[in-house]
Amino acid sequence: MQKAKRKVVVNLMKEQRPKRVAELIKREVSKILLSQTSDPRLKRFTIVRVEVSPDLKLAKIFISSSFAETNSEEQFKALQKALGFIKRELSKRLVIKSLPEIQFVPDSTLEKAFQVVELIKRIEKEEHKDAGNVSEGS
């Protein structure tokens, strides 16, 4: 019975570690982008989420750029160019055996959510207008 309990605890610890490392990376990369970089394009990113592999060797940082930005590809290139700097700063801030390989992944979830909200508003406006026309026609 003790052995089974110990396995459950070890498995829970293995599952929690990547989540904790992901949260640390998210917090620290956000700070680095806002306060340590001189390129204003890098300050316009939002870190949506970070996923760390179970073996802690890879961290995918899902990012979204400002919605008003039309040159997000140029911003992403600037982010890739700053990757070495970000890794160095991150290694100074995190106390872990080895720093996971960092990958930036564009994430359009927020942009799509705003598009859906706008579409719903437009539909509601049209329905309201149609309801007004129906009552006027009666």
Side-chain angles (χ1 to χ4, degrees), residues 62-81:
F62 293 85
I63 50 132
S64 178
S65 62
S66 272
F67 309 116
E69 293 298 322
T70 54
N71 56 354
S72 58
E73 191 174 314
E74 185 181 313
Q75 280 183 299
F76 193 73
K77 284 180 183 176
L79 186 62
Q80 293 291 16
K81 190 175 178 182

PDB file of all heavy atoms in Angstrom, residues 62-81:
ATOM      1  N   PHE A  62       3.717  30.685 -26.183  1.00  0.00           N
ATOM      2  CA  PHE A  62       2.692  31.127 -27.124  1.00  0.00           C
ATOM      3  C   PHE A  62       2.479  32.618 -26.924  1.00  0.00           C
ATOM      4  O   PHE A  62       2.147  33.066 -25.819  1.00  0.00           O
ATOM      5  CB  PHE A  62       1.394  30.351 -26.897  1.00  0.00           C
ATOM      6  CG  PHE A  62       1.525  28.899 -27.247  1.00  0.00           C
ATOM      7  CD1 PHE A  62       2.015  27.983 -26.326  1.00  0.00           C
ATOM      8  CD2 PHE A  62       1.182  28.448 -28.506  1.00  0.00           C
ATOM      9  CE1 PHE A  62       2.145  26.645 -26.647  1.00  0.00           C
ATOM     10  CE2 PHE A  62       1.305  27.107 -28.847  1.00  0.00           C
ATOM     11  CZ  PHE A  62       1.791  26.205 -27.909  1.00  0.00           C
ATOM     12  N   ILE A  63       2.688  33.379 -28.001  1.00  0.00           N
ATOM     13  CA  ILE A  63       2.642  34.833 -27.906  1.00  0.00           C
ATOM     14  C   ILE A  63       1.614  35.408 -28.866  1.00  0.00           C
ATOM     15  O   ILE A  63       1.317  34.835 -29.902  1.00  0.00           O
ATOM     16  CB  ILE A  63       4.025  35.457 -28.182  1.00  0.00           C
ATOM     17  CG1 ILE A  63       4.613  34.886 -29.475  1.00  0.00           C
ATOM     18  CG2 ILE A  63       4.979  35.206 -27.051  1.00  0.00           C
ATOM     19  CD1 ILE A  63       5.123  35.921 -30.373  1.00  0.00           C
ATOM     20  N   SER A  64       1.114  36.561 -28.484  1.00  0.00           N
ATOM     21  CA  SER A  64       0.186  37.297 -29.322  1.00  0.00           C
ATOM     22  C   SER A  64       0.690  38.737 -29.374  1.00  0.00           C
ATOM     23  O   SER A  64       1.138  39.275 -28.361  1.00  0.00           O
ATOM     24  CB  SER A  64      -1.213  37.242 -28.709  1.00  0.00           C
ATOM     25  OG  SER A  64      -2.109  37.988 -29.478  1.00  0.00           O
ATOM     26  N   SER A  65       0.626  39.332 -30.553  1.00  0.00           N
ATOM     27  CA  SER A  65       1.075  40.717 -30.661  1.00  0.00           C
ATOM     28  C   SER A  65      -0.122  41.641 -30.543  1.00  0.00           C
ATOM     29  O   SER A  65      -1.265  41.200 -30.569  1.00  0.00           O
ATOM     30  CB  SER A  65       1.801  40.944 -31.985  1.00  0.00           C
ATOM     31  OG  SER A  65       0.929  40.701 -33.059  1.00  0.00           O
ATOM     32  N   SER A  66       0.154  42.934 -30.435  1.00  0.00           N
ATOM     33  CA  SER A  66      -0.917  43.925 -30.338  1.00  0.00           C
ATOM     34  C   SER A  66      -1.880  43.764 -31.496  1.00  0.00           C
ATOM     35  O   SER A  66      -1.471  43.503 -32.619  1.00  0.00           O
ATOM     36  CB  SER A  66      -0.335  45.337 -30.388  1.00  0.00           C
ATOM     37  OG  SER A  66      -0.003  45.765 -29.111  1.00  0.00           O
ATOM     38  N   PHE A  67      -3.155  43.962 -31.216  1.00  0.00           N
ATOM     39  CA  PHE A  67      -4.171  43.752 -32.239  1.00  0.00           C
ATOM     40  C   PHE A  67      -4.095  44.809 -33.334  1.00  0.00           C
ATOM     41  O   PHE A  67      -4.458  44.557 -34.462  1.00  0.00           O
ATOM     42  CB  PHE A  67      -5.561  43.765 -31.603  1.00  0.00           C
ATOM     43  CG  PHE A  67      -5.644  42.844 -30.436  1.00  0.00           C
ATOM     44  CD1 PHE A  67      -5.870  43.341 -29.172  1.00  0.00           C
ATOM     45  CD2 PHE A  67      -5.463  41.479 -30.600  1.00  0.00           C
ATOM     46  CE1 PHE A  67      -5.935  42.486 -28.084  1.00  0.00           C
ATOM     47  CE2 PHE A  67      -5.529  40.627 -29.524  1.00  0.00           C
ATOM     48  CZ  PHE A  67      -5.763  41.133 -28.265  1.00  0.00           C
ATOM     49  N   ALA A  68      -3.617  45.997 -32.998  1.00  0.00           N
ATOM     50  CA  ALA A  68      -3.563  47.082 -33.972  1.00  0.00           C
ATOM     51  C   ALA A  68      -2.357  46.952 -34.907  1.00  0.00           C
ATOM     52  O   ALA A  68      -2.269  47.636 -35.911  1.00  0.00           O
ATOM     53  CB  ALA A  68      -3.507  48.420 -33.248  1.00  0.00           C
ATOM     54  N   GLU A  69      -1.441  46.070 -34.553  1.00  0.00           N
ATOM     55  CA  GLU A  69      -0.222  45.938 -35.350  1.00  0.00           C
ATOM     56  C   GLU A  69      -0.492  45.215 -36.665  1.00  0.00           C
ATOM     57  O   GLU A  69      -1.097  44.157 -36.682  1.00  0.00           O
ATOM     58  CB  GLU A  69       0.842  45.165 -34.561  1.00  0.00           C
ATOM     59  CG  GLU A  69       1.350  45.899 -33.356  1.00  0.00           C
ATOM     60  CD  GLU A  69       2.037  47.194 -33.687  1.00  0.00           C
ATOM     61  OE1 GLU A  69       2.758  47.264 -34.697  1.00  0.00           O
ATOM     62  OE2 GLU A  69       1.827  48.153 -32.944  1.00  0.00           O
ATOM     63  N   THR A  70      -0.035  45.808 -37.741  1.00  0.00           N
ATOM     64  CA  THR A  70      -0.199  45.154 -39.041  1.00  0.00           C
ATOM     65  C   THR A  70       1.071  44.408 -39.439  1.00  0.00           C
ATOM     66  O   THR A  70       1.022  43.525 -40.269  1.00  0.00           O
ATOM     67  CB  THR A  70      -0.527  46.200 -40.127  1.00  0.00           C
ATOM     68  OG1 THR A  70       0.478  47.210 -40.115  1.00  0.00           O
ATOM     69  CG2 THR A  70      -1.896  46.802 -39.895  1.00  0.00           C
ATOM     70  N   ASN A  71       2.190  44.755 -38.834  1.00  0.00           N
ATOM     71  CA  ASN A  71       3.464  44.132 -39.194  1.00  0.00           C
ATOM     72  C   ASN A  71       3.891  43.123 -38.121  1.00  0.00           C
ATOM     73  O   ASN A  71       5.005  43.165 -37.631  1.00  0.00           O
ATOM     74  CB  ASN A  71       4.539  45.193 -39.413  1.00  0.00           C
ATOM     75  CG  ASN A  71       4.713  46.099 -38.215  1.00  0.00           C
ATOM     76  OD1 ASN A  71       3.960  46.023 -37.260  1.00  0.00           O
ATOM     77  ND2 ASN A  71       5.713  46.954 -38.270  1.00  0.00           N
ATOM     78  N   SER A  72       2.996  42.204 -37.795  1.00  0.00           N
ATOM     79  CA  SER A  72       3.303  41.240 -36.738  1.00  0.00           C
ATOM     80  C   SER A  72       4.426  40.289 -37.149  1.00  0.00           C
ATOM     81  O   SER A  72       5.147  39.792 -36.306  1.00  0.00           O
ATOM     82  CB  SER A  72       2.051  40.462 -36.333  1.00  0.00           C
ATOM     83  OG  SER A  72       1.513  39.798 -37.441  1.00  0.00           O
ATOM     84  N   GLU A  73       4.578  40.054 -38.460  1.00  0.00           N
ATOM     85  CA  GLU A  73       5.673  39.199 -38.918  1.00  0.00           C
ATOM     86  C   GLU A  73       7.022  39.850 -38.607  1.00  0.00           C
ATOM     87  O   GLU A  73       7.959  39.178 -38.164  1.00  0.00           O
ATOM     88  CB  GLU A  73       5.540  38.941 -40.420  1.00  0.00           C
ATOM     89  CG  GLU A  73       6.476  37.860 -40.919  1.00  0.00           C
ATOM     90  CD  GLU A  73       6.234  37.520 -42.371  1.00  0.00           C
ATOM     91  OE1 GLU A  73       5.059  37.352 -42.757  1.00  0.00           O
ATOM     92  OE2 GLU A  73       7.230  37.435 -43.112  1.00  0.00           O
ATOM     93  N   GLU A  74       7.102  41.159 -38.786  1.00  0.00           N
ATOM     94  CA  GLU A  74       8.331  41.889 -38.465  1.00  0.00           C
ATOM     95  C   GLU A  74       8.597  41.848 -36.960  1.00  0.00           C
ATOM     96  O   GLU A  74       9.731  41.679 -36.528  1.00  0.00           O
ATOM     97  CB  GLU A  74       8.207  43.344 -38.935  1.00  0.00           C
ATOM     98  CG  GLU A  74       9.472  44.151 -38.754  1.00  0.00           C
ATOM     99  CD  GLU A  74       9.298  45.584 -39.215  1.00  0.00           C
ATOM    100  OE1 GLU A  74       8.758  45.792 -40.309  1.00  0.00           O
ATOM    101  OE2 GLU A  74       9.699  46.480 -38.451  1.00  0.00           O
ATOM    102  N   GLN A  75       7.533  41.971 -36.169  1.00  0.00           N
ATOM    103  CA  GLN A  75       7.675  41.885 -34.714  1.00  0.00           C
ATOM    104  C   GLN A  75       8.184  40.504 -34.314  1.00  0.00           C
ATOM    105  O   GLN A  75       9.035  40.388 -33.433  1.00  0.00           O
ATOM    106  CB  GLN A  75       6.327  42.113 -34.027  1.00  0.00           C
ATOM    107  CG  GLN A  75       5.919  43.545 -33.910  1.00  0.00           C
ATOM    108  CD  GLN A  75       4.604  43.623 -33.145  1.00  0.00           C
ATOM    109  OE1 GLN A  75       3.601  43.084 -33.581  1.00  0.00           O
ATOM    110  NE2 GLN A  75       4.633  44.293 -32.026  1.00  0.00           N
ATOM    111  N   PHE A  76       7.634  39.468 -34.939  1.00  0.00           N
ATOM    112  CA  PHE A  76       8.039  38.109 -34.604  1.00  0.00           C
ATOM    113  C   PHE A  76       9.513  37.887 -34.940  1.00  0.00           C
ATOM    114  O   PHE A  76      10.233  37.234 -34.198  1.00  0.00           O
ATOM    115  CB  PHE A  76       7.147  37.099 -35.338  1.00  0.00           C
ATOM    116  CG  PHE A  76       7.297  35.708 -34.825  1.00  0.00           C
ATOM    117  CD1 PHE A  76       6.765  35.347 -33.592  1.00  0.00           C
ATOM    118  CD2 PHE A  76       7.970  34.751 -35.563  1.00  0.00           C
ATOM    119  CE1 PHE A  76       6.905  34.054 -33.105  1.00  0.00           C
ATOM    120  CE2 PHE A  76       8.115  33.454 -35.086  1.00  0.00           C
ATOM    121  CZ  PHE A  76       7.588  33.108 -33.855  1.00  0.00           C
ATOM    122  N   LYS A  77       9.974  38.460 -36.066  1.00  0.00           N
ATOM    123  CA  LYS A  77      11.390  38.353 -36.427  1.00  0.00           C
ATOM    124  C   LYS A  77      12.264  39.039 -35.376  1.00  0.00           C
ATOM    125  O   LYS A  77      13.336  38.550 -35.027  1.00  0.00           O
ATOM    126  CB  LYS A  77      11.640  38.960 -37.808  1.00  0.00           C
ATOM    127  CG  LYS A  77      11.169  38.083 -38.940  1.00  0.00           C
ATOM    128  CD  LYS A  77      11.432  38.733 -40.293  1.00  0.00           C
ATOM    129  CE  LYS A  77      10.889  37.871 -41.409  1.00  0.00           C
ATOM    130  NZ  LYS A  77      11.047  38.504 -42.719  1.00  0.00           N
ATOM    131  N   ALA A  78      11.793  40.182 -34.874  1.00  0.00           N
ATOM    132  CA  ALA A  78      12.538  40.891 -33.834  1.00  0.00           C
ATOM    133  C   ALA A  78      12.616  40.038 -32.568  1.00  0.00           C
ATOM    134  O   ALA A  78      13.651  40.002 -31.889  1.00  0.00           O
ATOM    135  CB  ALA A  78      11.873  42.237 -33.535  1.00  0.00           C
ATOM    136  N   LEU A  79      11.544  39.340 -32.269  1.00  0.00           N
ATOM    137  CA  LEU A  79      11.518  38.466 -31.102  1.00  0.00           C
ATOM    138  C   LEU A  79      12.497  37.309 -31.274  1.00  0.00           C
ATOM    139  O   LEU A  79      13.243  36.970 -30.351  1.00  0.00           O
ATOM    140  CB  LEU A  79      10.096  37.938 -30.884  1.00  0.00           C
ATOM    141  CG  LEU A  79       9.849  37.113 -29.632  1.00  0.00           C
ATOM    142  CD1 LEU A  79      10.104  37.932 -28.386  1.00  0.00           C
ATOM    143  CD2 LEU A  79       8.429  36.592 -29.636  1.00  0.00           C
ATOM    144  N   GLN A  80      12.526  36.719 -32.461  1.00  0.00           N
ATOM    145  CA  GLN A  80      13.465  35.619 -32.735  1.00  0.00           C
ATOM    146  C   GLN A  80      14.913  36.113 -32.632  1.00  0.00           C
ATOM    147  O   GLN A  80      15.782  35.395 -32.152  1.00  0.00           O
ATOM    148  CB  GLN A  80      13.213  35.013 -34.118  1.00  0.00           C
ATOM    149  CG  GLN A  80      11.896  34.299 -34.244  1.00  0.00           C
ATOM    150  CD  GLN A  80      11.811  33.012 -33.430  1.00  0.00           C
ATOM    151  OE1 GLN A  80      12.586  32.754 -32.539  1.00  0.00           O
ATOM    152  NE2 GLN A  80      10.823  32.215 -33.746  1.00  0.00           N
ATOM    153  N   LYS A  81      15.137  37.342 -33.074  1.00  0.00           N
ATOM    154  CA  LYS A  81      16.481  37.921 -33.019  1.00  0.00           C
ATOM    155  C   LYS A  81      16.928  38.132 -31.564  1.00  0.00           C
ATOM    156  O   LYS A  81      18.105  37.994 -31.246  1.00  0.00           O
ATOM    157  CB  LYS A  81      16.494  39.251 -33.775  1.00  0.00           C
ATOM    158  CG  LYS A  81      17.856  39.833 -34.001  1.00  0.00           C
ATOM    159  CD  LYS A  81      17.765  41.071 -34.858  1.00  0.00           C
ATOM    160  CE  LYS A  81      19.135  41.683 -35.051  1.00  0.00           C
ATOM    161  NZ  LYS A  81      19.081  42.906 -35.842  1.00  0.00           N
TER     162      LYS A  81
END
